[in-house]
Amino acid sequence: MPDVKHFDPDATLETVVRLFWRQGVASTGIQDIVNATGLNRSSLYATFGGKMQLYHTALERYADSRSRPVLDRLAEDERGLPAVADFFTGLIETRCSGEYAQWGCMVSNAHAGAENVDPAIRALLDRQHKRLRDALHAALLNAQAHGQLAPGADPAATAEVLALLAHGVNLRSRAGADAGQLRQTVATALHAISCPAA
Amino acid sequence: MPDVKHFDPDATLETVVRLFWRQGVASTGIQDIVNATGLNRSSLYATFGGKMQLYHTALERYADSRSRPVLDRLAEDERGLPAVADFFTGLIETRCSGEYAQWGCMVSNAHAGAENVDPAIRALLDRQHKRLRDALHAALLNAQAHGQLAPGADPAATAEVLALLAHGVNLRSRAGADAGQLRQTVATALHAISCPAA
DNA sequence: CGCATCTTGGAATGACCGTTTCAAGATAGC
DNA sequence: GCTATCTTGAAACGGTCATTCCAAGATGCG
């Protein structure tokens, strides 16, 4: 019978996610990954394949373990606009303070890099953008049902606006944008789509 | 007396801008630049310095020759919201069709790359974001004067919202987002900030 | 224990990285 | 046309790139 792995692939992948998230795939070498994870080149290639395959796996892990829970919570929060506001508050908190401050969003970052020409990566970016938009859409439908939305507002189109706004927050936060200003900007946007009478 | 340059530095820099714009600084090698410009390494280094210095010069050229004219036109257009709408229409046109389709914005792209840790680059990103926001602010002040803006709307804060929206357009267009959908999204955003009575 | 099977360490692969060096070539004033 | 001064071509620099290979080590079953 064969030998078993002497390391935890899951923990390794989490380390790799952070490297690619912070530095991007083009600026991260295999040597960086070897140094950060402590495991050998052979084990890396045997377990995850080449660099781009590893990046794809890491990006998928990011989307599933970081984005998805937040988006699911947003979609299932039935309060309407307060749910959207909380989503953005949490987003700005994550982007501007703590361990991941000024790292931006790994998915947003991938949009701007040369890796987006890879069809598999681009499909992942489209899927993730759709998930973001759909979660916002669900929250806005609740907002409309509660009469929180401005009359005549289209929840689907507005969800797309807020999705692009989130991308903007991700980008600017990576360059060190002020959290307070981002919060005020989001508040302004939400005020613009909310019902004047409410 | 000395020899003179056997090439046009301005035309060379324009070629370099396109390389960095499309592929990013991390994925563009000096060899790529040598191949694209046709001139020698020695001439490159003697004229522009090293790679990062060349990237900085190229990014500044992009900001001055590509962004600035568009932003100046926006700031000087006194029509108000129609000026903003035209700005976004032109932006989406540039981002989604023609020679630069799916290249995104070189400044937005720089936000997501590892190059943003360079203080000189980050200062340039901040300056450029401020220019974008100020141009939008000027246009929104005109809109307010013309009674096009929703009552109670803050032109300064709204300008920041639209600036982040522009970043979102830049990002998503690079991943091949549909121009029609982007136009509709922008229209929705502008509708949300416009005066209901107008 | 012996053996088949997988993992691991570490060296080696050729290609490319950004940068430097230097001789040969080109130019403008004398 | 000579010379001083800059530009240009081409090779070479040490280092790092992603990837591969293979012997040595570890494992669980018979």
Side-chain angles (χ1 to χ4, degrees):
Chain A
M1 266 290 179
D3 193 1
V4 296
K5 283 194 196 305
H6 299 180
F7 68 97
D8 179 8
D10 205 62
T12 298
L13 203 51
E14 177 59 28
T15 303
V16 174
V17 163
R18 295 178 192 216
L19 277 178
F20 282 143
W21 182 3
R22 182 157 41 109
Q23 309 177 359
V25 59
S27 302
T28 303
I30 293 289
Q31 187 61 50
D32 296 333
I33 297 172
V34 168
N35 293 341
T37 61
L39 56 87
N40 198 271
R41 282 178 165 73
S42 307
S43 309
L44 258 177
Y45 277 86
T47 310
F48 302 106
K51 184 185 175 182
M52 279 315 291
Q53 196 175 336
L54 176 55
Y55 174 72
H56 184 274
T57 306
L59 187 55
E60 203 138 40
R61 181 188 165 92
Y62 175 91
D64 284 347
S65 74
R66 307 264 174 189
S67 293
R68 191 148 215 184
V70 178
L71 296 184
D72 285 350
R73 202 180 323 139
L74 169 61
E76 288 161 11
D77 190 328
E78 299 181 342
R79 291 175 298 151
L81 278 187
V84 178
D86 282 0
F87 163 76
F88 275 102
T89 299
L91 183 72
I92 294 170
E93 177 105 2
T94 303
R95 298 291 177 243
C96 296
S97 57
E99 187 179 357
Y100 316 112
Q102 305 194 9
W103 288 21
C105 161
M106 190 173 169
V107 176
S108 294
N109 295 347
H111 278 79
E115 60 269 26
N116 90 93
V117 298
D118 183 328
I121 299 294
R122 179 164 295 197
L124 206 154
L125 300 188
D126 282 343
R127 189 196 67 186
Q128 209 58 22
H129 177 74
K130 193 176 169 184
R131 284 184 184 168
L132 168 60
R133 187 227 297 149
D134 288 351
L136 285 164
H137 188 200
L140 289 178
L141 284 177
N142 284 322
Q144 191 176 49
H146 295 158
Q148 299 163 347
L149 233 53
D154 176 11
T158 306
E160 187 77 41
V161 172
L162 293 183
L164 292 190
L165 186 69
H167 278 300
V169 167
N170 289 334
L171 262 201
R172 282 299 302 163
S173 67
R174 206 178 137 89
D178 177 66
Q181 173 154 358
L182 290 176
R183 275 191 290 266
Q184 196 212 326
T185 302
V186 167
T188 301
L190 295 188
H191 175 76
I193 65 171
S194 67
C195 179
Chain B
M1 267 288 181
D3 194 1
V4 295
K5 283 194 196 307
H6 299 180
F7 67 96
D8 180 8
D10 205 61
T12 298
L13 202 51
E14 178 60 27
T15 303
V16 174
V17 163
R18 294 177 193 217
L19 277 178
F20 282 143
W21 183 2
R22 182 157 41 110
Q23 310 177 357
V25 59
S27 303
T28 303
I30 293 289
Q31 187 62 49
D32 296 333
I33 298 172
V34 168
N35 293 341
T37 61
L39 56 86
N40 199 271
R41 284 178 162 73
S42 306
S43 310
L44 259 177
Y45 277 85
T47 309
F48 301 105
K51 185 187 176 183
M52 280 315 291
Q53 197 175 335
L54 176 55
Y55 174 72
H56 185 273
T57 306
L59 186 56
E60 202 137 42
R61 182 190 165 90
Y62 175 92
D64 284 346
S65 74
R66 306 264 174 190
S67 293
R68 190 149 214 183
V70 178
L71 297 183
D72 284 349
R73 203 180 321 140
L74 169 61
E76 289 162 10
D77 191 328
E78 300 181 340
R79 291 175 298 151
L81 279 188
V84 178
D86 282 1
F87 164 75
F88 275 102
T89 300
L91 183 72
I92 293 170
E93 177 104 2
T94 303
R95 298 291 177 244
C96 296
S97 58
E99 187 180 356
Y100 315 113
Q102 305 194 7
W103 289 20
C105 162
M106 190 173 170
V107 176
S108 293
N109 295 348
H111 277 79
E115 61 267 27
N116 89 94
V117 298
D118 183 328
I121 299 293
R122 179 164 293 199
L124 205 153
L125 299 188
D126 282 342
R127 189 196 66 188
Q128 209 58 22
H129 178 74
K130 193 174 171 186
R131 284 183 183 169
L132 169 60
R133 186 228 295 151
D134 288 350
L136 286 164
H137 188 201
L140 289 178
L141 284 177
N142 284 321
Q144 191 175 49
H146 294 158
Q148 300 162 345
L149 234 52
D154 177 10
T158 306
E160 188 77 42
V161 172
L162 294 183
L164 292 191
L165 186 69
H167 278 300
V169 168
N170 289 334
L171 262 201
R172 282 298 303 161
S173 66
R174 206 179 137 89
D178 178 65
Q181 173 155 359
L182 291 175
R183 273 191 290 266
Q184 196 212 324
T185 303
V186 167
T188 301
L190 295 188
H191 179 262
I193 66 171
S194 66
C195 179

